[in-house]
Each structure stands twice: as structure tokens, then as C-alpha cells.
Amino acid sequence: MTDQAAHASGSRSEPESAAGGRRLTTRETAELLGVKPETVYAYVSRGQLSSVRAPGGRGSTFDAAEVEALVRRTGRREHTPAGNDLVFRTGITLIEQDRYYFRGVDATELAREYGYEEVAEWLWTGELRPGVRFDAPAAALAAARRAVGALPAHSGSTDRLRVAVIAAAAADPLRFDLSPRAVLSSARSLIPTLVGALPVIGGAKPGEGAGPGEGAGPGEGAGPGEGAGRDEDGGRDEDGSGTLAQQLWPRLTARPADPASLAVLDTALVLLIDHDLAASTLAARVAASAHAHPYAVVSAGLGVLEGPLHGAASGLAHRMLTEVVDRGGAAPVVADHLRTGRRVPGLGHRLYTGEDPRGRTLFALLEKVPQAADALAAARDVVSTTARHTPLHANIDLALAALSVSCGMPAEAGETVFAVSRTAGWIAHALEEYAERPLRMRPSGQYGGPRPPQPSPTPAPGEGHGEDPPR
């Protein structure tokens, strides 16, 4: 055990035994294993650790080498804080003091300076590659488009994304290779495949963005210092393929993209890449713990994201803002929500006591979008109206709603942006989880049913075994 670990334990180790092995106290052993002291003795009872009574009869001591070997076999588990059921080590996102960081770097600063693909690549590999672009393989994109095209016309964007993931997986015979290099290759192709599989709205063509010839951005092979930062038009490539934000834009709205609006969309994509262990990310890590391939990991995340308390929350805020604009004020709309027992969407966040830094960043950029004035005024009206009763700040859902309302996007546009963006975060967590002990997330259920032995069930009255019921 290191001196730092010994200091953190709060007690001094017993001196080395006569055999020369370092002895640890129960508290030190528990700290090193990341468990409660009671669990240490459970390891002893199962024969996984041996203990020696400490001099003076005060507790037991444990061989440091034996404890460290157990750590290597089982993996260190973190203590569970009150109110949380699961805690996992992660080096991706830190949230503290109303700010959040990607690998120690302020995420809002990253979003203002770099594009989605650049930040995703850096988050995965630790390498910043200015101008990097993700490309969809032709076979995977064709399969995804065929699958999405077979869905009913009323299907939502998340329905289409889930089907596109399955189709892309089926087109990738190497999907079961979980080496980091293979997983990253799948991720770089899957994200643009998801975007390319979505239907274009209003007849716009894929790749249409700020207009031809405006500020061509560098290609993937740009060297250090070339293309760093965000292009004025959102980073359009010379070949017309554009950034992921430009590819996504015509799948969200039929309105032509302008540089300011594209910058908001690209920033939103960066801001939403990850947000610690949200419900969908936890589902993705559970799938990765079972060594599911990366497409299945993304499918697990998408399945949870669709809930109204997670990725779909921005759609509720969109409908509310639209109503506020139509009715000329927030007061009657907020009153209707409260009268029917509904919470006002787009306000507050359990991880922030003050402003959601993601929402604050997007609102600041929306100020530069002329057509966003009405939606921004409606959002401010909602916040000030509810503040008379409860001082809640606007969150990312309200900011996404302001973007979608002001740019003529459907209510589900925010959910689409959320899903596409968070795919990169799920992959980052999968890479972490693949390196952990497999199937470590195996909680035990607290059974509350009838105690055995119970009699076998009998058929309902009037129904025989295997016979057709009376008609």
C-alpha cells in the first residue's frame, strides 16, 4: 500500500511482521478494497483473506500483499454515498460547483472552441485532431436507410435511430471485436450513419449548410494549428460533406442554415456528449459490462434516452415555449401546468444548484441568432414567472427548445440532437467499461414475495390443462 493510501485511511499500519510482510489494519484494508469493514470479514469467512489478531486484541491485521492481490482480482469498488445505489470510477466527466468538465477541461470552453467530432475524438483518444471528420461507410449507410425507410411514416426520430443502429450493426461483421482500435473505428462510422439515415426535411439535400464557398474548413489531415477553433460557417469542408452539425441540420428543419444557427447546433452537440452517469449512460455501461458490442451499447442507451424524464424532456419544453409565444405570455401557460399537476419543463437540474452551464452557454449563443428573439423572450418569461414561487434556473432542455422553436424544427428535434451527441459519450463509457472486470454490475434483488414452500399454481376455474376455454 502506498504512503498516500495509508494517510487516507486515517490510521497507522501495524509494523512489519516477523516474516517481513507489511500488515494492514481493518480500516486500511477496507479503504484499499473500497468496501465497508464488515465486508472485509466476509472475505475472511469465504477464505479470500486471512487475518491475524492485532496486538492487544484490538481488531485484526491483514497481509498487504494478499490484500493487493485481492484488489487485482476483484477490482477496487468505491464506497457508496448516501442516496446513490451505484458508484463507478470514471475519468470522463466531473460535475462540481455548478460547472462540468470533460477530462478536467471546462466542457463549455471546449464547446465554444471546437466542433463535435474534434471533441469526441479527443474524449476517446486524448488526441486533439483539428478538422477531423467522421465518415459513414456506404454499405452501413445503405442498410440503415433501407431499414429506416421501411418504418411507418409517423415514426419518431428515436425510432429511426434505434433501427439505424441495428442495421449498421448487421452490416459490420467485425462488431464483436472489442479492442479499442476496433471500437473507435465502429464509433467513427456509426455516428454519421445515424445522421445520414434520418430523412431530410422539406427536400433539402444532405450537406446543405451555410452556402457554398463560405469559409471552407480544413479536411481531416489538417496539421497542428490548422483549423483549430470553429469556422464562421460551422466548418464546411471543401468537398461539401461538412461537419456533423451541417449534415444533421437539414434533417431537423427545412429552413436554410445560417452560420450563427449552425454554431448553436454544433455547440449543443458538444455540450451533450456526456453528463456523468445519467440513466442512459448507466444502461450503456451495463451492456458494456456484459461485453456487448458497441452498437448494442448504443442501442441500450437509446432505449433509455426516449423517456420523458431524460432525452425527450426538451420536446415538452418545445411545446410549452410554442404555446407561450402563441399566447403572448408565460403566465397562463405556467398556470395551466400547475393547475393540472404538471411540472414546468426546462427548469432546474438535480446536479446544479444554480444555472445549468450547458443551458447558459446555448442561450448566450442564441442571442446572436436574430430569429431566436421571440423564443428567448418566451424562455425568459417562463423563468421569471415561475421564480415568483420557486427560484429555478433554465436548464439544457429549455435552451434546446429555444433553438428548435426559433429554427422551425419539430418538437422532437432536441431529442434527436441529444441522441446523436450522447452516442459519443456512450462509446467513451464503453471503452472504460470494457477495461473493467466483466459483469461486475450484478446487484442482488431484495425479495419481497411469498416465502417458500408455496403450493404449485392451479388452473383458473373452468379451464382445463391444455384445453380450449369454453366459448
Side-chain angles (χ1 to χ4, degrees), residues 233-283:
D233 70 344
R236 184 178 179 84
D237 280 339
E238 293 179 358
D239 63 4
S241 60
T243 64
L244 196 81
Q246 282 188 299
Q247 296 172 47
L248 181 59
W249 181 271
R251 289 158 170 84
L252 299 176
T253 179
R255 293 185 185 179
D258 60 88
S261 299
L262 271 176
V264 178
L265 177 59
D266 201 11
T267 301
L269 287 168
V270 176
L271 292 171
L272 289 165
I273 285 178
D274 190 57
H275 205 233
D276 197 28
L277 283 175
S280 59
T281 303
L282 177 58

